[in-house]
Structures are given as structure tokens and as C-alpha cells.
Amino acid sequence: MSTVNTAAAAAAAPATGPAPVIDVDPARHRSAELERQILRAPERFRVMTGDRPTGPLHLGHYFGTLHNRVRLQDLGVDVFVIIADYQVLTDRDVADRLTEHMEAMVLDYLAVGIDPERSTIFHHSAVPALNQLMLPFLSLVSVAELNRNPTVKDEIAHSRQSSVSGLMFTYPVHQAADILFCKGNLVPVGRDQLPHLEVTRTVARRFNERYGEVFPEPDALLSAAPLLLGTDGTKMSKSRGNSIPLAATADETARLIRSATTDADRCITYDPEARPGVSSLVLLAALCLDRDPHAVAEEIGDGGAAALKRTVTEAVNDRMAPVRARRAELARDMRYVRAVLRAGNVRANEAAEATLEEVRKAMHGVV
Ligand code: TRP
């Protein structure tokens, strides 16, 4: 069992009542089957995953996705990690401090254990052939389909911009290019990314039907990762200023946790529905300690928010200490960090150019 799973399983279970006997969720079923296949034949899979470089990666990323990427890599799966720099422009006019954010992200990846010898770290704007796939792909989806994407709808609703750009509207198609340029066939996702993966599958299927078999239809690998709330009790997010960065110092971590929202009930329990603030802190400690959140809560008992925050701070700082030490060490040699990204870009360009060549050949008979 991986570190995430004990706490994740508890977090995913309903607050009351027995666990359901039959899992009715098809995406979860499929993911469980895929996990078995990965163990049997990791070399059959190419994972495609990534992040937008909008700010420092935080503990939500660590327990939600980073940890899982390293696990897959260590199982022998070929992992591609994209720093989605063009995607930054979906909901803002300028990509602020892009180089700084990208380099910080590479540092975070390396510090958590993504190994550039085995995995490929690269960014959108360095891979022209990837971006070129966007044009044929756009021709394969209708405006009505793009309009129905619930995640894009939600992002538009929360966007700080007064109008919706064409890039915002079409970025799931760009993401299809991110995944398909290297024939990624496995995409670890949270629920919010499932509609995007459907777009990718549609694009792959229609391309193959129209022009001949070129692309795999990638599978979503739903993570069991629980949702960590930020220090204000809403979703932990780079842009909301409520996150605990991976790279925070022990003191910064203590200060951020001290400021977290709790409630007046001294008895600490794990009850995400009724007590989201307290429960998220309990969950964070449980994830760091690789323990069950109910047991962690019980141990703190009547200690109140102060004892809870002490426990969480210590758990986070202990768990993150090696990652942070490694990150600090790597940060002393930024030339190396930049070289990792350059080498990843070279590998990504090779894959993108080979795929684009296949696409050209396949389309030639038709257009
Ligand atoms: N949309 C993803 C996010 O916001 C980032 C991303 C871009 C991505 N391209 C991708 C994830 C391709 C998986 C595969 O987190």
C-alpha cells in the first residue's frame, strides 16, 4: 500500500453507514483494472500528466498527484510531465513570472523524486509540433461539444476576465494535443479533469476513423486522492493564497497552519461534512503520518484546535523535511535544473515530430 492510500481510503468512504458493496462508478472500476495491468506490464503504459505554471506547487499537489507520479515512475511506467505554459493564458492576459514559476516547478518535481533519467519534464511552448496538432484536432470537435464541457464552464464562471478567450474555450483540445503528441495512453486525473479526457478520447477516435489508426484512446486513471482544503476551508489552490507550498520553510508552515480555519468544538473529530476545516487538518496530518484520520483525531481528542495544529505542523514538517532539503540542495545548481528541462524538451520534440509526421501521412490521402 502506498502512503496515500490508508488516509485516502478513509477520506473517500462515506461519513456514516457501511461502505457500498458494489462500486457503481465505472471510471473507478476501470481505474482499478488499470492498476492491475500496470503491475503486470508497466512498459505498456505511457503516462501523460502536468501542471500550469501559475505558482508554487503545494501539499494538495503532493498528496493529490505528485506522489502518484513518482509511484508510477518507480513501477516502471514511462512518465511525461508537461509544464503547461500556454494554458496559463486561458484565464489571464499575461503569463506572469513564467520562467521563475517553471524553474520552481522543475525543482519541486525533482525534489519529490521525479527522476529525469526515467521521466520526461518539458513545457508546451518549447514543442512546436505538439502545438501544430491543435489545428487538425480542432477540426474534429464541434463548438456545441466544446460548449458543454462542465470544467471549462466552471472555470469561465470563476475567471477574472470579462470575456472568454478562444484559448479558454478550446484548451481541452490543446490538452488532447498534450496527451496524444507522445501517444500517452494513461492520464492520472482528478474528477474535474474527466471531461477533458473525454475530449481527448473523442479526438483520437475521430482522427483514427477519418484518417486511419494513429492514436491510442487514452484511459483516465482516477486517483483515490482526497481533496485537501486550503487554510481558509475552501479548495487548496495556487491562486487562492490558501495553500501550504511544498517549498515552505518549517516556520512558514507553522504560521500558515496557525492561521487555518477551525471551529469552537474542543473535541477533535474527523467529519469532513460537518467540520470541513478541522477535518482537513486532521486529514493532512493523517496523510503525512500515513495513518487513518479517525485514529489521528481520536488521539488528539479534547486537545482542541491548538493541539490539532501542533500535531499537523509537526507531521507536515517531518514528512516534508527530506523533500525540502533535497529541493534546497538542487536549487544551488540552477544550471542543472535548466539542463533537465532542456533535455526533456528535446525528447518531447522528437516524439512530437514523429507523431506529426504520421499525422501528415495519414491526412494526405484525404485533404
Ligand atoms: N489542465 C491541467 C491542470 O490544470 C494541466 C494539464 C495541461 C494537463 N495539459 C495536460 C494534465 C495534459 C494532464 C495531461 O492541472
Side-chain angles (χ1 to χ4, degrees):
M1 271 283 129
S2 84
T3 323
V4 180
N5 285 348
T6 336
T16 53
V21 181
I22 309 165
D23 186 354
V24 287
D25 185 339
R28 283 220 174 283
H29 261 312
R30 177 83 186 124
S31 296
E33 169 55 26
L34 286 163
E35 288 287 356
R36 285 189 287 274
Q37 289 183 20
I38 291 166
L39 291 181
R40 276 200 304 273
E43 71 285 350
R44 284 186 36 221
F45 293 96
R46 175 167 278 178
V47 159
M48 190 52 231
T49 168
D51 306 279
R52 303 177 189 196
T54 50
L57 293 176
H58 53 63
L59 296 178
H61 295 113
Y62 182 75
F63 289 111
T65 65
L66 297 175
H67 198 265
N68 195 35
R69 290 176 197 172
V70 175
R71 178 183 72 93
L72 291 166
Q73 166 195 275
D74 292 347
L75 285 172
V77 175
D78 186 13
V79 178
F80 271 63
V81 185
I82 186 167
I83 301 179
D85 52 353
Y86 278 137
Q87 226 178 68
V88 173
L89 295 173
T90 50
D91 67 349
R92 61 201 82 200
D93 298 331
V94 283
D96 241 0
R97 295 156 62 196
L98 204 56
T99 309
E100 182 189 325
H101 287 324
M102 289 209 289
E103 288 177 3
M105 209 162 248
V106 178
L107 271 176
D108 288 335
Y109 292 156
L110 298 176
V112 300
I114 293 179
D115 172 5
E117 297 296 321
R118 289 178 286 164
S119 298
T120 304
I121 304 171
F122 70 103
H123 64 104
H124 263 151
S125 60
V127 190
L130 178 163
N131 295 298
Q132 197 168 336
L133 290 174
M134 174 102 171
L135 289 176
F137 286 2
L138 277 172
S139 75
L140 297 169
V141 290
S142 72
V143 169
E145 282 170 323
L146 291 172
N147 224 349
R148 276 200 293 270
N149 187 306
T151 302
V152 174
K153 272 194 195 157
D154 190 57
E155 282 169 331
I156 287 172
H158 289 100
S159 163
R160 59 192 94 177
Q161 288 188 310
S162 52
S163 62
V164 180
S165 76
L167 185 62
M168 167 65 106
F169 194 58
T170 55
Y171 92 80
V173 182
H174 196 195
Q175 198 157 314
D178 295 345
I179 296 165
L180 296 176
F181 90 93
C182 64
K183 306 201 177 171
N185 58 4
L186 193 62
V187 187
V189 288
R191 279 176 186 280
D192 66 321
Q193 297 283 311
L194 280 176
H196 295 352
L197 202 74
E198 269 321 302
V199 174
T200 300
R201 292 170 61 88
T202 302
V203 164
R205 191 169 56 247
R206 288 191 188 148
F207 187 96
N208 294 345
E209 280 165 8
R210 206 168 285 183
Y211 302 113
E213 196 73 21
V214 172
F215 294 109
E217 253 183 76
D219 268 303
L221 186 67
L222 259 187
S223 67
L227 185 68
L228 266 184
L229 299 182
T231 49
D232 62 354
T234 74
K235 184 182 174 201
M236 192 181 282
S237 155
K238 280 181 278 198
S239 46
R240 292 190 197 186
N242 66 356
S243 60
I244 303 167
L246 219 66
T249 64
D251 285 349
E252 282 159 2
T253 303
R255 189 172 46 74
L256 286 165
I257 291 170
R258 221 177 296 126
S259 75
T261 315
T262 50
D263 57 42
D265 188 345
R266 281 196 66 80
C267 180
I268 299 305
T269 52
Y270 182 65
D271 183 355
E273 291 282 310
R275 304 180 73 185
V278 162
S279 300
S280 188
L281 286 172
V282 171
L283 176 61
L284 179 53
L287 288 166
C288 290
L289 298 165
D290 192 19
R291 290 187 56 193
D292 178 87
H294 294 283
V296 171
E298 203 166 306
E299 210 167 274
I300 300 166
D302 285 325
L308 170 61
K309 288 179 176 181
R310 266 198 310 279
T311 302
V312 179
T313 302
E314 205 180 294
V316 170
N317 284 339
D318 282 356
R319 175 72 186 257
M320 286 300 132
V323 172
R324 289 168 172 171
R326 186 162 156 65
R327 196 182 186 285
E329 167 102 33
L330 287 158
R332 281 195 225 115
D333 187 3
M334 290 310 286
R335 287 219 323 251
Y336 168 72
V337 172
R338 288 180 203 117
V340 164
L341 192 55
R342 264 200 313 277
N345 288 337
V346 168
R347 243 183 277 164
N349 270 297
E350 282 164 11
E353 276 155 29
T355 303
L356 186 61
E357 198 44 43
E358 273 186 74
V359 164
R360 283 200 181 106
K361 282 209 180 94
M363 291 181 77
H364 187 68
V366 182
V367 292

Short mmCIF file of all heavy atoms in Angstrom, two decimals, residues 48-52 82 84 87 124 155 171 175 178-179 187-189 193 196, ligand 1:
data_model
loop_
_atom_site.label_atom_id
_atom_site.label_comp_id
_atom_site.label_asym_id
_atom_site.label_seq_id
_atom_site.Cartn_x
_atom_site.Cartn_y
_atom_site.Cartn_z
N MET A 48 0.75 10.55 -19.23
CA MET A 48 0.88 11.96 -19.56
C MET A 48 0.16 12.77 -18.49
O MET A 48 -0.99 12.51 -18.19
CB MET A 48 0.22 12.15 -20.94
CG MET A 48 0.44 13.44 -21.58
SD MET A 48 2.14 13.93 -21.67
CE MET A 48 1.94 15.54 -20.98
N THR A 49 0.88 13.70 -17.91
CA THR A 49 0.29 14.48 -16.83
C THR A 49 1.02 15.81 -16.73
O THR A 49 2.06 15.99 -17.37
CB THR A 49 0.36 13.69 -15.49
OG1 THR A 49 0.04 14.56 -14.42
CG2 THR A 49 1.75 13.15 -15.24
N GLY A 50 0.49 16.76 -15.99
CA GLY A 50 1.19 18.04 -15.90
C GLY A 50 0.47 19.08 -15.08
O GLY A 50 -0.56 18.81 -14.48
N ASP A 51 1.04 20.27 -15.07
CA ASP A 51 0.51 21.37 -14.27
C ASP A 51 0.70 22.69 -14.99
O ASP A 51 1.61 22.85 -15.80
CB ASP A 51 1.28 21.46 -12.93
CG ASP A 51 1.27 20.16 -12.19
OD1 ASP A 51 0.27 19.86 -11.52
OD2 ASP A 51 2.27 19.41 -12.29
N ARG A 52 -0.15 23.64 -14.64
CA ARG A 52 0.05 25.00 -15.16
C ARG A 52 1.05 25.73 -14.26
O ARG A 52 0.91 25.67 -13.03
CB ARG A 52 -1.25 25.80 -15.08
CG ARG A 52 -2.38 25.17 -15.81
CD ARG A 52 -3.64 25.99 -15.61
NE ARG A 52 -4.75 25.23 -16.15
CZ ARG A 52 -5.95 25.74 -16.41
NH1 ARG A 52 -6.21 27.00 -16.15
NH2 ARG A 52 -6.90 24.99 -16.91
N ILE A 82 4.14 17.54 -18.34
CA ILE A 82 4.13 18.81 -19.08
C ILE A 82 3.94 19.99 -18.14
O ILE A 82 3.08 19.96 -17.26
CB ILE A 82 3.04 18.81 -20.18
CG1 ILE A 82 3.16 20.08 -21.04
CG2 ILE A 82 1.64 18.71 -19.61
CD1 ILE A 82 2.34 20.04 -22.33
N ALA A 84 2.47 23.26 -18.41
CA ALA A 84 1.54 23.76 -19.44
C ALA A 84 1.57 25.29 -19.49
O ALA A 84 0.64 25.95 -19.03
CB ALA A 84 0.14 23.22 -19.17
N GLN A 87 -1.22 27.12 -21.28
CA GLN A 87 -2.51 27.05 -20.59
C GLN A 87 -2.67 28.14 -19.54
O GLN A 87 -3.79 28.44 -19.12
CB GLN A 87 -2.67 25.67 -19.96
CG GLN A 87 -4.03 25.06 -20.23
CD GLN A 87 -4.18 23.68 -19.65
OE1 GLN A 87 -4.21 23.50 -18.44
NE2 GLN A 87 -4.28 22.69 -20.51
N HIS A 124 5.08 23.23 -22.91
CA HIS A 124 4.33 23.50 -24.13
C HIS A 124 5.08 24.27 -25.20
O HIS A 124 5.21 23.84 -26.33
CB HIS A 124 3.15 24.44 -23.79
CG HIS A 124 1.86 23.76 -23.57
ND1 HIS A 124 0.92 24.29 -22.72
CD2 HIS A 124 1.34 22.63 -24.08
CE1 HIS A 124 -0.13 23.51 -22.70
NE2 HIS A 124 0.09 22.51 -23.50
N GLU A 155 -14.71 27.08 -14.96
CA GLU A 155 -13.56 27.98 -14.98
C GLU A 155 -13.95 29.35 -15.56
O GLU A 155 -13.47 30.38 -15.10
CB GLU A 155 -12.41 27.36 -15.78
CG GLU A 155 -11.68 26.32 -14.97
CD GLU A 155 -10.71 25.48 -15.79
OE1 GLU A 155 -10.94 25.30 -17.00
OE2 GLU A 155 -9.73 25.02 -15.21
N TYR A 171 -9.12 25.05 -24.84
CA TYR A 171 -7.93 24.44 -24.25
C TYR A 171 -8.04 22.92 -24.03
O TYR A 171 -7.02 22.22 -24.07
CB TYR A 171 -7.44 25.21 -23.01
CG TYR A 171 -7.99 24.76 -21.68
CD1 TYR A 171 -7.45 23.64 -21.02
CD2 TYR A 171 -9.01 25.45 -21.04
CE1 TYR A 171 -7.95 23.24 -19.80
CE2 TYR A 171 -9.51 25.05 -19.82
CZ TYR A 171 -8.98 23.94 -19.20
OH TYR A 171 -9.47 23.54 -18.01
N GLN A 175 -5.17 20.34 -24.81
CA GLN A 175 -4.76 19.29 -23.87
C GLN A 175 -4.77 17.92 -24.55
O GLN A 175 -3.96 17.06 -24.21
CB GLN A 175 -5.68 19.32 -22.65
CG GLN A 175 -5.09 18.59 -21.48
CD GLN A 175 -5.66 19.06 -20.15
OE1 GLN A 175 -5.76 20.25 -19.89
NE2 GLN A 175 -6.02 18.12 -19.30
N ASP A 178 -1.54 17.73 -26.02
CA ASP A 178 -0.54 17.43 -24.97
C ASP A 178 -0.43 15.93 -24.73
O ASP A 178 0.65 15.39 -24.49
CB ASP A 178 -0.95 18.03 -23.62
CG ASP A 178 -0.98 19.54 -23.62
OD1 ASP A 178 -0.44 20.14 -24.56
OD2 ASP A 178 -1.57 20.11 -22.67
N ILE A 179 -1.59 15.28 -24.75
CA ILE A 179 -1.61 13.86 -24.40
C ILE A 179 -1.24 12.99 -25.60
O ILE A 179 -0.48 12.04 -25.49
CB ILE A 179 -3.01 13.48 -23.85
CG1 ILE A 179 -3.26 14.23 -22.53
CG2 ILE A 179 -3.12 11.97 -23.64
CD1 ILE A 179 -4.70 14.22 -22.07
N VAL A 187 -3.76 8.72 -18.25
CA VAL A 187 -3.72 10.08 -17.71
C VAL A 187 -4.28 10.08 -16.29
O VAL A 187 -5.49 9.93 -16.10
CB VAL A 187 -4.54 11.05 -18.61
CG1 VAL A 187 -4.37 12.49 -18.14
CG2 VAL A 187 -4.14 10.91 -20.07
N PRO A 188 -3.40 10.21 -15.30
CA PRO A 188 -3.89 10.26 -13.92
C PRO A 188 -4.62 11.58 -13.71
O PRO A 188 -4.08 12.63 -14.01
CB PRO A 188 -2.61 10.23 -13.06
CG PRO A 188 -1.48 10.00 -14.00
CD PRO A 188 -1.94 10.36 -15.37
N VAL A 189 -5.85 11.50 -13.26
CA VAL A 189 -6.66 12.71 -13.14
C VAL A 189 -7.48 12.73 -11.86
O VAL A 189 -7.75 11.70 -11.26
CB VAL A 189 -7.68 12.81 -14.31
CG1 VAL A 189 -6.99 13.14 -15.61
CG2 VAL A 189 -8.52 11.55 -14.42
N GLN A 193 -10.95 16.71 -14.19
CA GLN A 193 -10.28 16.59 -15.50
C GLN A 193 -10.92 15.52 -16.39
O GLN A 193 -10.54 15.35 -17.54
CB GLN A 193 -8.79 16.28 -15.32
CG GLN A 193 -8.00 17.38 -14.62
CD GLN A 193 -7.70 18.58 -15.54
OE1 GLN A 193 -7.23 18.42 -16.64
NE2 GLN A 193 -8.02 19.78 -15.07
N HIS A 196 -12.20 16.63 -19.79
CA HIS A 196 -11.12 16.91 -20.73
C HIS A 196 -10.62 15.62 -21.37
O HIS A 196 -10.30 15.56 -22.54
CB HIS A 196 -9.93 17.59 -20.03
CG HIS A 196 -10.27 18.94 -19.50
ND1 HIS A 196 -11.45 19.56 -19.76
CD2 HIS A 196 -9.57 19.80 -18.71
CE1 HIS A 196 -11.48 20.74 -19.17
NE2 HIS A 196 -10.34 20.90 -18.52
N1 TRP B 1 -5.15 21.09 -17.14
C1 TRP B 1 -4.20 20.57 -16.22
C2 TRP B 1 -4.33 21.36 -14.92
O1 TRP B 1 -4.82 22.46 -14.92
C3 TRP B 1 -2.77 20.68 -16.70
C4 TRP B 1 -2.51 19.95 -17.98
C5 TRP B 1 -2.19 20.50 -19.17
C6 TRP B 1 -2.54 18.54 -18.19
N2 TRP B 1 -2.03 19.56 -20.11
C7 TRP B 1 -2.24 18.34 -19.57
C8 TRP B 1 -2.81 17.42 -17.37
C9 TRP B 1 -2.22 17.06 -20.12
C10 TRP B 1 -2.79 16.15 -17.94
C11 TRP B 1 -2.49 15.97 -19.29
O2 TRP B 1 -3.92 20.86 -13.90
#
